[in-house]
Amino acid sequence: MANKRSLKRAIKNVCADIATECLIAAQYVKGVEPEKMDTVIQKLADLQSNALSTISFGFDKIPSDFATRKDYKYAKAAYFKKAYKSFKQKFGSHINEIVKEMNEILPTEVKQANIEASKK
């Protein structure tokens, strides 16, 4: 698991990169409605805000709840691993939904050109 600072930085970078792609598409791709891209950007901003506010979670046990200190450390590590995995899965699914929505806004000619470019 990454530390909280690098995780927050990664969340901000992912959201900023996708928002930049939306802005570029809205300005320079013919056939894209800027209002729809603005909606996608707003969803990204909401996702970033929610992700950054929910990234902090704490272990609700104390060392005296366990037989040994080793058991406490093991349980704490397992808890944070599970919480990080859950956060990562939820964030990833929201990003995938936003990217799908962004791609649906693109005209079919642009989609075909992107597919052909990726095959090269």
Side-chain angles (χ1 to χ4, degrees), residues 50-69:
N50 290 336
L52 292 175
S53 66
T54 60
I55 196 66
S56 295
F57 36 80
F59 188 52
D60 59 347
K61 307 282 186 199
I62 57 174
S64 62
D65 292 341
F66 296 90
T68 65
R69 185 83 170 161

Side-chain angles (χ1 to χ4, degrees), residues 70-84:
K70 183 178 179 182
D71 292 340
Y72 170 74
K73 287 182 179 182
Y74 179 76
K76 184 177 177 182
Y79 172 81
F80 280 110
K81 184 176 181 179
K82 183 179 176 184
Y84 175 71

